Amino acid sequence: MDAMAELGAGSLLLGDPAFNYQEAELNERLKRLYPAVNEDETPLPRSWSPKDKYSYIGLSQNNLRVHYKGHGKNHKDAASVRATHPIPAACGIYYFEVKIVSKGLDFLSSLLPLSPIPGWDKHSYGYHGDDGHSFCSSGTGQPYGPTFTTGDVIGCCVNLINNTCFYTKNGISLGVAFTDLPPNLYPTVGLQTPGEIVDANFGQQPFVFDIEDYMSEWRAKIHGMIARFPIGERLGEWQAVLQNMVSTYLVHHGYCATATAFARATETLIQEDQTSIKNRQRIQKLVLAGRVGEAIEATQQLYPGLLEHNPNLLFMLKCRQFVEMVNGTDSEVRCFSVRSPKSQDSYPGSPSLSPRHGATNPNLHSAGADSPTCSNGVTPPNKNKSHNKYPGVSSASSSSSSSPSSVNYSESNSTDSTKSQPHSGTSNQEETSDSEMEIEAEHYTNGVAENPSARIMNGTYKHQEILQAQDISLEDSCASRQLCGGNQAATERMIQFGRELQGLNEQLCREYGKNVTHKKMLQDAFSLLAYSDPWNCPVGQQLDPMQRENICSALNSAILESQNLPKQPPLMLALGQATECVQLMARVRSGSCSFARVDNFLH
Amino acid sequence: MACLLEAPLRISVLSEVTATSRHYVDRLFHPDPQKVLQGVIDMKNAVIGNNKQKANLIVLGAVPRLLYLLQQGLSSSELKTEVLGSELRTEVLGSELRTEGVVVLGSELRTECVVLLGSELRTEGAVVLRTECVVVLGSLAMGTENNIKSLVDCHIIPALLQGLVCPDLIFIEACLRCLRTVFISPVTPVQLLYTDPTVIPHLMSLLSRSPRTQDYITQIFSHCCKTPEHQTVLFNHGAIQNIAPMLISLSYKVRMQALKCFSVLAYENTQVSMTLVNVLVDGDLLSQVFVRMLQRDLPIEMQLTAAKCLTYMCRAGAIRTDDRCIVLKTLPCLVRMCSKERLLEERVEGAETLAYLMEPDVELQRIASVTDHLVAMLADYFKYPSSVSAITDIKRLDHDLKHAHELRQAAFKLYASLGSNDEDIRKKITETENMMDRIVSGLSESSIKVRLAAVRCLHSLSRSVQQLRTSFHDHAVWKPLMKLLQNAPDEVLVMASSTLCNLLLEFSPSKEPILESGVVELLCSLTQSDSPALRVNGIWALMNMAFQADQKVKGEIVRALGTEQLFRLLSDPDTNVLMKTLGLLRNLLSTRPHIDQIMSSHGKQIMQAVTLILEGEHSIEVKEQTLCILANIADGNTAKELIMTNDDILQKIKYYMGHSNAKLQLAATFCISNLIWNEEGSEADAMTGCQERQDKLRELGFVDILHKLTQALDPNLCERAKTAMQHYLA
C-alpha cells in the first residue's frame, strides 16, 4: 500500500528534467564502471525495489531513501529491502554505498542471493553497525570492522572474480568479509529502529571509496594473467596457426599479391588458386564501386549457377543495383552520362578501384597494388623513405626469418630487383598494405561487436575508400548530384529496371512464398524516387556507399561457399568466438570477463 | 702498481693471470694511438660479463693506464685519429654479442651495447678513445665490490667528475653511468661527491641534457644523500626545481628515479617538504602528481616510493594528517604494501613507512587499525620462514631466513605505532594470535633491531592500564624485560627502562615481582648515565616505585641512591630529570611517620636543596613541585619544625602565597595550612606546638595574606585559604 504510493511518486518525477539529467548521469557512470554488462540481459540495480520489501520499510526519493516505520521492539521487527535487480556477474567488481542519514539501533545487511520465496533473512550476508560484526547466513556474527553511525558512508564491494566481498567505511576498505559468495546477490539494507533512515548510492553520486582504482588493479591483474598465459612447447605450432590465420584472411578478402608473398615467406600453402582469388577480388571491387550490374554480370559469367541457386542474394544485388542507379554509379546508367563509360576510371583519386588491371594484367604485383587498402593516399610519400631504409638491415635480418614483414620485403626485393622501378615501388606498397591489414582487423571486430549476427564488414572500406568515394562524388558532381546523374535516358532505364525488379519480386513470391525482407527492401529502394533530393531524405541512408559492404561480403561469402571454401576467414571466426566466449563467461557468472574484453587486446 | 698486492685474494688471482690478460694491458701502452684504441675496444669486449677477467685486468694495472688515457685525451688532441669505418663497428658489435655465451650480466651487456651503438656516429678519435676507456672502467665497476674499491683507490671519481666538463654528450653519459655504478656501491664513501663544491651545480646543469643523464644523476643523488647536510646541499643547488619536471618524463625509469630522489630529499626534512608541497609540475601540485603514482595498476615500486614521499611530507608538516591524500590514498596504499601478495622487501618497507606515517596521529592509527584487517595481516609477518618453505624449497627458505628478522622488526614497529594512543587498538593487538608470546620472544632475539622493535611495541602496549593488569602480568613480560636491561645498548635501554616505568605503576601486578628481583640498584645506576633519557627513566621508575610504597622500599631507595646522587639529580640540567627527582622526593615524603623518619636523617640536605631550587631560575612546574614537597614536610610531626625554625623558607612561602601564579599560591597556602593544622584529638603538647606555630605565623603576617586569599578568584585557592583560617580560629 505504501509501496504503491511511493511508486506513484517515483513515476511522477519521471517528467522532471532534473531527474532526467540525473538519470543520464547515472547511466553514464554505470556504463563506465561496468562496460561489460549487457543491461538488456542483466539490468544493473538502480534503486530499491518497492515490491521486494517488508511493510515496515518506507521508500522515498526515487526509491533510494529507506526509512523504518515499524515498532522496533525486538529483532522480529527488523525489516529489509533489496534492490530491483541482482548484481550481474559481468560487472566483475560491483560496488554500492549507503549513507546513514539517521541512526537508530542500526543493522545493515547488505547482500542477499536470489531465493524462490522472499525468505530474506536466510543466506544473507551483512555488516552490522551496532557491533561491527559481519553476519553470514546465521544469527551469530563474527567480529569484522568498526561500528558505524549517523553520517557514516558504508560501502559494499562484491568481487565476482574471486567471489569475495569487502565493506568500506567512509572510503576506507575494511578488508575481506566473506569468501565463496554464491551468485545472484542483491544489494540489501535492513533496519530495525524507528526513525532510522539510510540513502543508497548505486552510482547516482560519485562514490566516497575509490572503486575505480580498485578495479584498475584487477584489470591489470587479469591482463597480466592473459599476457603471461603459458604457450609452452607448442610455440612452433602456435606460430603456424597464426600464419595460417593471416594467410586465410588475406585470401578471403582477395589481397592476392600480399597473400602470395606472405605464403612464400612463411612457407605456407594457399588453398584457393590465384585466378579464383583475383576473380573474387574483381567482383568485390565492382560492388564496392557501386557498379552492381557489372558485378552481377561477372558473377554469372565466372560462377554460373551461383546466383540462380541464391535467388535471395540475387534479389539483394538487384535491389542494390537499383539504388546505385538512383545514385548514378551503376554502369547501366553511367553509360548515358557525359562521362565515358566502363573504360574510364570511375574514381580518379583511387586507381585501385578500377578493374582494368585485375583481369588483364598477369603481373601479380600490380594486382597487389589494386588491393583495396592500397588506395590509401598516404603511401606514396613514405615510399622512398622506406625504400631507402630497408636495404641496410635486410642482410642482417634475412637470416632470421621471424619477422614476416621484413622477410616479405627482401623476398620480393630479390625477385623484383631485375625488374623496373615501378615494380619495386609496388612491392613497397605491399609492404604498407601489410601493416594496414592489422588496422583493418581492428575495424573488423568493431563490425562484429556492433552486429551480433556476426556479419562481416570490412572496416577499411568504411574508413578509407568510401570516404574517398564520397569526397569524389561531392567534388565531381556537387551540383550534379541528381537522380541517375541527371540524365533523362538513364532515368528511363532506371524506371524500367525498377519494373523488372518488381517482376522478379513477384516471381520470387510465387516460387518461395512471401518474403517480408524483400518487400521492405524493395519498398525502401523505390521510396527514394518519392523525394526530390533522395540523398537528403528519410531513406537516403541507402545511397551511402557504406551500404555496399554488407552485400559485398555476402556475395563474397556465397562465392567461397560455392567453391567449398569457408565463408568466413578463421581470423574473424576466432575473434567472433573470443567475443562470444567473453559474453558466455558473463552468462555463466565468471566475473573476470569484465576485464578481459576482446577490444582491449586489439591495438 | 701500489694497489696491486693489497689483499691475499689478489695474490691468488695473480697466480692465475693468463698471458691473454697481460696482452690486453700491454696493448694499452702501444706507441701507435690507433693500436691503443683497438686495444681498449678489445679489452671492452673481453670484460663484458666476465668477472674473472675484470679482476685480472685490475690486478695487472689496467685502471691507472685507462685513467691516464682518459685524462690525456682530455688535455690534448694528440690522439686524434681517422674515422672508424662502420664495418669495423659492425664487427665489434657482432663479437660482443657473441660473448653473451659467457657469464652474462644481462642488463649490463645491453647498456653497453647501447653505448656502442650510440658511439657509432662519433668520428673524432680522441673522444672515441676516451669514451671507450670510460666504458671499460664502467664495465670493471660492474664486477665485485673489490673492483669498486680498487677503482676508488685509483682516484677514478675525480677523474670521471672532471670528464663531465667535456661537451660531448655520449662521453658525459658514459662518465655518469660509470660514476653511478661506483656511487651506488656501499663501499664508496659518499662524501667524495661533495668534496669539490662545483660538482653538484654542474650535475644539476647536466640534468637537462638527456633522459640518460637524468637517470644516472638522480640515481647518484639518491644514493649519496645520507645526511641532513647532504639534503641541504642538494636543495640549495635547486634539486627540487631541476628534478620535478622529470616526474612527468616519458621514460618510466626517469620518473622512478626522480621519485626516489624526492623520497630521499624529503625524509625528515621540513625545508624540502615545505618547498615540495608548493611545486607545480605541468600545472599540477606535486602532491597530486604523487597521488597519481599511487594508482593500483602502476608498478609496486612506484606506488611504494610515492607513498614514502607523501609520508615524509606529511610528517614534516607540509601536508595535514587529515588531508584526503593521506587518509584515503597514502595510508591505504601503505596498508596494501603489507599484504601477503607483496614481496617480503615491499612488506618490510610498507610496514616501516606506515608506522612512521601514523606515529604522531591517533586518528590515522584508528583508521589504519580497521583498514583491510591490518592488525591480523601483520601476524603473518611472524610466520617466516614458514614450515612449508623449509621442506619444499631451499632457495625459498634462504630468502625467507634473510628477511625473517626484517619482517619481525617491521611488524613490531607498526604494532608499536598503532597502539601508541588508543586503548581499543592495544586490546586488538594483544588479542592477536600469540602476540604477547611473540613480543616476549622478540625481546631476547639475537638481532638487536628486532629486540629494539619488540621493546618499543611492549612500551606502546604498556601505556594501557588494562593490559598492565592482564596480559602483561599473565605473560610475565617483566622477566625478559629485566634481562634486557642488564646488558643492552642505550637505544634499547631507553625503551626498556621506559617500559619498566609503566610496569612499576602502583596498579601493576608486576610491580611486586620486579621489586623482589632487585631492580633498585639497576635503576639507580641508570640515574648516573650520561644519557638524559636514561637518567629520566631511571629516576622516573624510582618515583613510581616509591609511590605509596612501604617504609622498607623507601629506605632501600634512599640507601641505594644515596643523598649525594639525589642532590646531584636535583641540580640536573635536564628539567625532566629534576621534575622526576622532585616527584621521587614527594613520594618518599608521604605519610607522617615516613616524613618524620626521612627528615630526621636527611632533613638538613633536603631543606638546603629546596631552598636552592626556590631561589633558582626554574619553571613554574618545578617550583610548584618543590612547594608541594615543603607542604609534605609541613605535614610531618617533627619535620614541621624544620620549616618553622627556618625564617628564610617561611619568607619564601610568604612570597609565593602572593605570587601571580595561582598554582604556586595554592601550593604555598597548602604548606601554611599544614603548619597551622591542629590535629583533632591529638595530644596536648601537640596542641601547644600548634598554638606556638600559629602565633609565629601571625607575627609574620600570614594571617593577613590568608585573609586576602579568601577573596581570591581561584575557587580552590579560596577554599584552601578559608580552611586554613578556620583552623586558626579553632
Side-chain angles (χ1 to χ4, degrees):
Chain A
M1 167 180 61
D2 277 312
M4 289 308 288
E6 275 140 18
L7 197 65
S11 50
L12 249 179
L13 275 165
L14 278 172
D16 188 352
F19 179 72
N20 285 341
Y21 172 73
Q22 266 184 8
E23 191 69 19
E25 211 181 358
L26 171 64
N27 282 335
E28 197 195 313
R29 191 167 287 121
L30 292 180
K31 197 78 217 155
R32 199 178 61 234
L33 284 171
Y34 317 114
V37 173
N38 176 1
E39 283 212 79
D40 297 334
E41 266 180 38
T42 51
L44 286 159
R46 285 159 187 257
S47 62
W48 300 118
S49 165
K51 282 177 269 167
D52 302 321
K53 70 172 192 62
Y54 278 90
S55 56
Y56 287 158
I57 293 286
L59 296 178
S60 58
Q61 304 202 353
N62 301 320
N63 291 332
L64 289 173
R65 171 164 286 189
V66 183
H67 64 267
Y68 182 79
K69 48 185 192 180
H71 314 295
K73 293 213 179 82
N74 57 41
H75 279 291
K76 281 179 187 158
D77 293 332
S80 60
V81 57
R82 70 181 192 187
T84 46
H85 302 284
I87 300 163
C91 291
I93 283 161
Y94 182 79
Y95 186 71
F96 75 100
E97 280 178 352
V98 168
K99 183 175 173 125
I100 319 297
V101 179
S102 163
K103 184 223 177 205
L105 228 174
D106 51 35
F107 145 71
L108 178 110
S109 137
S110 34
L111 292 165
L112 282 175
L114 182 63
S115 51
I117 40 156
W120 290 341
D121 39 357
K122 279 183 184 146
H123 304 294
S124 70
Y125 297 84
Y127 166 32
H128 292 203
D130 51 356
D131 56 6
H133 286 190
S134 64
F135 288 76
C136 166
S137 310
S138 76
T140 48
Q142 292 277 318
Y144 168 66
T147 58
F148 51 85
T149 182
T150 302
D152 284 334
V153 175
I154 303 300
C156 174
C157 176
V158 182
N159 184 329
L160 297 131
I161 301 164
N162 58 11
N163 296 316
T164 60
C165 154
F166 69 83
Y167 292 89
T168 67
K169 178 183 170 183
N170 300 326
I172 293 291
S173 160
L174 305 177
V176 171
F178 309 109
T179 56
D180 306 302
L181 286 175
N184 270 327
L185 293 161
Y186 282 82
T188 306
V189 283
L191 312 174
Q192 197 190 301
T193 319
E196 200 165 5
I197 302 171
V198 299
D199 278 351
N201 177 8
F202 295 107
Q204 281 84 359
Q205 315 280 324
F207 292 121
V208 180
F209 177 72
D210 193 346
I211 188 66
E212 277 159 89
D213 196 25
Y214 179 72
M215 286 174 162
S216 76
E217 184 182 345
W218 276 89
R219 190 172 299 118
K221 263 187 208 172
I222 304 262
H223 283 199
M225 214 151 80
I226 294 171
R228 284 189 301 271
F229 187 81
I231 302 169
E233 269 109 70
R234 292 167 54 228
L235 199 63
E237 218 176 300
W238 192 264
Q239 195 174 16
V241 168
L242 291 178
Q243 283 168 348
N244 201 15
M245 280 208 165
V246 173
S247 168
T248 45
Y249 179 84
L250 294 171
V251 170
H252 180 93
H253 289 285
Y255 302 130
C256 191
T258 315
T260 321
F262 184 79
R264 250 203 323 260
T266 56
E267 294 167 10
T268 49
L269 285 173
I270 296 174
Q271 287 192 351
E272 198 179 358
D273 70 66
Q274 294 202 357
T275 354
S276 166
I277 300 174
K278 267 178 283 170
N279 286 337
R280 281 193 296 110
Q281 187 183 33
R282 193 181 130 221
I283 291 167
Q284 283 189 74
K285 254 177 262 161
L286 285 168
V287 175
L288 289 172
R291 294 153 65 171
V292 185
E294 283 172 72
I296 294 171
E297 226 171 273
T299 311
Q300 281 166 339
Q301 191 190 328
L302 292 163
Y303 304 98
L306 175 79
L307 291 175
E308 283 73 7
H309 289 115
N310 284 295
N312 287 345
L313 181 62
L314 179 65
F315 185 77
M316 272 166 70
L317 281 163
K318 293 259 186 190
C319 271
R320 187 67 214 177
Q321 188 181 0
F322 180 82
V323 174
E324 296 300 344
M325 283 170 128
V326 175
N327 218 351
T329 41
D330 191 78
S331 38
E332 289 219 37
V333 298
R334 278 174 70 93
C335 61
F336 297 108
S337 76
V338 270
R339 302 173 64 174
S340 59
K342 295 184 186 181
S343 62
Q344 192 185 341
D345 193 342
S346 52
Y347 298 114
S350 73
S352 63
L353 286 179
S354 159
R356 65 186 160 177
H357 306 295
T360 52
N361 193 340
N363 189 307
L364 292 178
H365 291 287
S366 34
D370 270 348
S371 109
T373 37
C374 294
S375 64
N376 192 334
V378 295
T379 32
N382 289 339
K383 225 188 278 178
N384 291 334
K385 198 180 164 194
S386 57
H387 195 67
N388 289 339
K389 205 167 74 185
Y390 278 99
V393 190
S394 64
S395 58
S397 58
S398 60
S399 53
S400 67
S401 62
S402 60
S403 148
S405 66
S406 62
V407 176
N408 182 7
Y409 178 78
S410 58
E411 288 273 327
S412 54
N413 191 32
S414 56
T415 49
D416 289 352
S417 53
T418 48
K419 293 182 185 171
S420 57
Q421 181 59 34
H423 282 151
S424 49
T426 324
S427 56
N428 255 326
Q429 272 190 322
E430 283 171 31
E431 200 58 44
T432 326
S433 61
D434 250 7
S435 60
E436 268 164 24
M437 219 70 81
E438 287 170 35
I439 301 165
E440 257 175 76
E442 193 174 3
H443 299 315
Y444 254 101
T445 32
N446 285 344
V448 173
E450 280 159 20
N451 200 341
S453 67
R455 155 111 344 120
I456 291 160
M457 288 195 271
N458 194 328
T460 315
Y461 302 138
K462 194 192 304 181
H463 292 271
Q464 296 168 0
E465 282 184 39
I466 299 310
L467 282 177
Q468 214 164 10
Q470 267 177 336
D471 285 351
I472 288 150
S473 64
L474 280 174
E475 163 209 310
D476 73 353
S477 60
C478 205
S480 72
R481 210 165 79 157
Q482 299 164 11
L483 208 60
C484 304
N487 185 293
Q488 187 60 38
T491 313
E492 278 164 22
R493 171 76 194 107
M494 176 198 70
I495 305 278
Q496 193 204 331
F497 185 82
R499 289 205 187 95
E500 288 167 26
L501 193 55
Q502 177 78 42
L504 179 66
N505 185 32
E506 281 160 14
Q507 186 203 332
L508 287 175
C509 277
R510 277 194 301 277
E511 284 175 35
Y512 303 99
K514 260 198 171 166
N515 187 322
V516 189
T517 329
H518 288 183
K519 201 178 159 194
K520 172 87 169 64
M521 232 188 283
L522 201 62
Q523 258 176 14
D524 286 349
F526 288 171
S527 301
L528 284 169
L529 300 180
Y531 298 91
S532 54
D533 181 2
W535 287 270
N536 286 314
C537 78
V539 288
Q541 181 67 31
Q542 293 174 84
L543 293 165
D544 190 333
M546 221 188 274
Q547 302 295 323
R548 295 166 186 160
E549 290 167 18
N550 272 333
I551 182 86
C552 176
S553 64
L555 180 57
N556 190 32
S557 298
I559 296 172
L560 286 165
E561 228 175 348
S562 76
Q563 308 290 302
N564 286 323
L565 290 166
K567 64 172 184 177
Q568 271 192 28
L571 177 62
M572 300 320 296
L573 215 58
L575 263 179
Q577 276 173 348
T579 313
E580 193 60 32
C581 180
V582 171
Q583 277 164 13
L584 202 65
M585 281 167 79
R587 274 180 225 126
V588 300
R589 309 195 184 97
S590 166
S592 41
C593 67
S594 62
F595 300 124
R597 320 265 297 139
V598 173
D599 31 338
N600 287 341
F601 292 89
L602 301 171
H603 312 291
Chain B
M1 302 289 127
C3 60
L4 268 189
L5 300 166
E6 282 173 353
L9 180 82
R10 300 281 160 73
I11 300 167
S12 70
V13 171
L14 193 62
S15 61
E16 291 169 28
V17 169
T18 57
T20 38
S21 301
R22 164 75 60 194
H23 179 64
Y24 283 122
V25 181
D26 288 345
R27 285 169 70 194
L28 300 183
F29 292 88
H30 201 280
D32 179 358
Q34 214 176 336
K35 287 267 164 54
V36 173
L37 176 60
Q38 193 53 50
V40 176
I41 290 169
D42 290 346
M43 184 184 277
K44 178 178 74 184
N45 293 338
V47 294
I48 289 178
N50 188 337
N51 273 348
K52 200 170 170 192
Q53 187 69 274
K54 283 175 192 175
N56 285 350
L57 292 177
I58 290 173
V59 169
L60 290 167
V63 178
R65 181 61 185 171
L66 285 168
L67 285 174
Y68 170 80
L69 291 172
L70 168 68
Q71 279 156 332
Q72 275 302 106
L74 279 175
S75 52
S76 75
S77 50
E78 239 178 7
L79 283 162
K80 266 188 193 176
T81 51
E82 57 273 24
V83 182
L84 272 167
S86 60
E87 300 87 347
L88 174 68
R89 276 297 161 155
T90 323
E91 196 188 296
V92 171
L93 181 63
S95 75
E96 190 164 1
L97 286 171
R98 245 169 283 129
T99 58
E100 221 169 341
V102 202
V103 215
V104 166
L105 283 165
S107 66
E108 184 191 348
L109 188 68
R110 239 171 291 128
T111 50
E112 290 185 5
C113 290
V114 169
V115 178
L116 199 69
L117 283 169
S119 60
E120 197 163 343
L121 302 169
R122 336 288 319 300
T123 52
E124 210 184 344
V127 182
V128 171
L129 177 64
R130 268 187 283 147
T131 311
E132 296 295 353
C133 287
V134 177
V135 171
V136 174
L137 288 170
S139 210
L140 295 177
M142 294 240 193
T144 61
E145 280 188 358
N146 277 328
N147 290 5
I148 303 246
K149 270 185 206 149
S150 313
L151 290 172
V152 173
D153 290 345
C154 294
H155 305 291
I156 186 177
I157 292 174
L160 290 172
L161 288 173
Q162 206 188 341
L164 295 178
V165 295
C166 168
D168 189 279
L169 182 59
I170 304 289
F171 177 65
I172 288 175
E173 286 177 353
C175 287
L176 285 173
R177 185 172 40 256
C178 187
L179 279 168
R180 184 272 322 257
T181 315
V182 173
F183 272 121
I184 64 174
S185 165
V187 299
T188 311
V190 294
Q191 202 48 45
L192 291 173
L193 185 69
Y194 302 95
T195 32
D196 179 350
T198 63
V199 167
I200 300 292
H202 186 61
L203 287 174
M204 291 289 173
S205 73
L206 289 176
L207 274 174
S208 56
R209 292 294 294 275
S210 76
R212 276 200 208 113
T213 62
Q214 295 179 336
D215 180 8
Y216 304 143
I217 293 172
T218 41
Q219 276 193 63
I220 293 171
F221 286 166
S222 302
H223 280 91
C224 294
C225 187
K226 304 268 191 213
T227 67
E229 290 73 41
H230 296 159
Q231 288 174 331
T232 307
V233 170
L234 293 173
F235 174 81
N236 288 342
H237 285 103
I240 292 173
Q241 288 71 23
N242 282 310
I243 298 172
M246 291 163 54
L247 286 172
I248 51 165
S249 161
L250 290 174
S251 151
Y252 171 79
K253 247 189 185 172
V254 171
R255 284 200 304 277
M256 195 58 230
Q257 291 305 338
L259 190 60
K260 275 190 189 164
C261 207
F262 278 132
S263 78
V264 173
L265 284 170
Y267 180 65
E268 291 190 333
N269 191 313
T270 313
Q271 189 186 33
V272 171
S273 296
M274 286 302 196
T275 312
L276 281 180
V277 88
N278 292 317
V279 170
L280 285 174
V281 182
D282 200 29
D284 287 332
L285 280 172
L286 207 61
S287 54
Q288 291 169 316
V289 177
F290 289 150
V291 167
R292 275 205 300 273
M293 291 174 159
L294 296 178
Q295 239 169 264
R296 294 188 183 204
D297 52 352
L298 292 172
I300 297 299
E301 184 191 29
M302 181 167 269
Q303 293 184 42
L304 184 53
T305 317
K308 274 190 184 175
C309 287
L310 287 162
T311 296
Y312 299 156
M313 285 162 76
C314 179
R315 281 302 304 268
I319 304 176
R320 289 167 55 99
T321 50
D322 58 357
D323 193 298
R324 287 176 63 86
C325 80
I326 296 297
V327 178
L328 291 180
K329 291 289 173 188
T330 311
L331 184 141
C333 173
L334 288 170
V335 174
R336 285 203 300 278
M337 295 303 144
C338 301
S339 100
K340 225 173 173 174
E341 288 171 48
R342 302 275 70 85
L343 299 176
L344 299 185
E345 295 91 329
E346 291 161 353
R347 293 168 77 181
V348 170
E349 259 189 88
E352 286 181 334
T353 313
L354 183 56
Y356 182 61
L357 172 68
M358 64 189 180
E359 207 174 13
D361 190 276
V362 64
E363 203 40 55
L364 288 181
Q365 290 158 12
R366 287 194 185 120
I367 293 169
S369 74
V370 299
T371 304
D372 285 336
H373 307 303
L374 176 66
V375 175
M377 201 196 283
L378 282 176
D380 191 70
Y381 276 50
F382 296 94
K383 294 177 182 163
Y384 292 90
S386 68
S387 46
V388 189
S389 62
I391 304 158
T392 54
D393 189 347
I394 292 292
K395 215 168 167 187
R396 163 111 186 268
L397 174 67
D398 187 50
H399 181 252
D400 282 4
L401 275 173
K402 219 180 276 170
H403 291 92
H405 295 299
E406 286 292 306
L407 280 165
R408 278 200 290 274
Q409 63 88 21
F412 280 137
K413 264 186 203 162
L414 189 44
Y415 276 131
S417 195
L418 270 171
S420 57
N421 296 92
D422 188 290
E423 187 63 37
D424 288 339
I425 302 176
R426 285 183 199 128
K427 189 160 173 280
K428 216 168 161 182
I429 293 172
T430 45
E431 280 168 6
T432 310
E433 46 167 318
N434 303 329
M435 195 55 215
M436 290 312 287
D437 291 335
R438 275 174 185 145
I439 296 177
V440 167
S441 61
L443 290 174
S444 46
E445 264 204 41
S446 59
S447 156
I448 182 130
K449 237 176 150 183
V450 179
R451 265 184 319 199
L452 179 58
V455 74
R456 265 175 72 173
C457 183
L458 193 67
H459 176 244
S460 182
L461 297 175
S462 74
R463 288 183 190 162
S464 153
V465 176
Q466 201 200 342
Q467 298 311 325
L468 282 177
R469 285 191 173 143
T470 56
S471 53
F472 274 57
H473 187 58
D474 297 344
H475 290 84
V477 292
W478 65 271
K479 276 185 195 163
L481 194 66
M482 286 299 291
K483 218 172 135 196
L484 197 61
L485 278 164
Q486 304 301 329
N487 186 16
D490 275 11
E491 268 182 306
V492 177
L493 225 46
V494 169
M495 272 296 152
S497 54
S498 187
T499 314
L500 195 65
C501 289
N502 291 341
L503 283 167
L504 284 169
L505 286 167
E506 51 96 22
F507 50 78
S508 161
S510 308
K511 186 176 179 177
E512 277 309 309
I514 295 176
L515 281 179
E516 283 158 22
S517 74
V519 74
V520 179
E521 295 289 339
L522 181 91
L523 293 175
C524 290
S525 71
L526 283 184
T527 64
Q528 295 176 359
S529 160
D530 288 335
S531 147
L534 282 179
R535 290 204 301 275
V536 173
N537 287 345
I539 197 74
W540 192 341
L542 288 171
M543 180 184 98
N544 284 351
M545 195 188 273
F547 183 76
Q548 293 184 355
D550 55 30
Q551 184 61 41
K552 184 173 150 264
V553 174
K554 285 183 182 174
E556 199 184 333
I557 292 172
V558 175
R559 196 177 53 250
L561 194 62
T563 39
E564 223 171 291
Q565 174 63 6
L566 190 69
F567 294 119
R568 209 175 293 131
L569 290 169
L570 282 175
S571 53
D572 200 278
D574 190 292
T575 318
N576 265 327
V577 176
L578 177 54
M579 278 300 282
K580 299 301 178 224
T581 314
L582 290 170
L584 171 65
L585 262 181
R586 211 178 140 183
N587 285 347
L588 289 172
L589 293 169
S590 75
T591 70
R592 210 157 283 151
H594 295 173
I595 297 170
D596 288 336
Q597 204 203 353
I598 291 173
M599 288 313 281
S600 66
S601 51
H602 300 92
K604 202 179 156 207
Q605 294 100 313
I606 289 173
M607 290 309 286
Q608 239 170 17
V610 166
T611 313
L612 268 173
I613 291 167
L614 287 180
E615 280 171 356
E617 298 262 325
H618 289 289
S619 65
I620 300 288
E621 285 74 28
V622 170
K623 299 226 161 143
E624 187 195 2
Q625 190 77 307
T626 316
L627 287 169
C628 286
I629 290 170
L630 269 183
N632 280 9
I633 296 170
D635 192 37
N637 282 333
T638 51
K640 276 190 177 69
E641 286 313 305
L642 284 165
I643 300 176
M644 287 313 293
T645 53
N646 190 330
D647 282 352
D648 186 29
I649 284 286
L650 286 172
Q651 284 304 324
K652 286 193 167 64
I653 295 172
K654 199 172 159 188
Y655 165 76
Y656 284 108
M657 282 175 80
H659 199 272
S660 57
N661 186 294
K663 276 184 183 172
L664 295 184
Q665 283 180 296
L666 186 64
T669 310
F670 220 119
C671 190
I672 288 302
S673 169
N674 279 346
L675 286 177
I676 57 183
W677 199 270
N678 50 354
E679 202 82 24
E680 291 135 63
S682 64
E683 297 301 312
D685 59 345
M687 281 295 287
T688 26
C690 173
Q691 196 56 52
E692 274 170 26
R693 287 197 300 279
Q694 289 192 352
D695 291 344
K696 179 162 184 191
L697 293 172
R698 190 193 302 274
E699 273 167 43
L700 289 166
F702 277 96
V703 177
D704 297 338
I705 301 173
L706 283 173
H707 243 306
K708 256 186 242 161
L709 289 176
T710 54
Q711 311 295 318
L713 289 170
D714 187 294
N716 285 335
L717 183 55
C718 179
E719 197 53 41
R720 178 51 57 188
K722 276 180 187 162
T723 335
M725 286 303 285
Q726 276 167 10
H727 278 283
Y728 240 108
L729 303 171

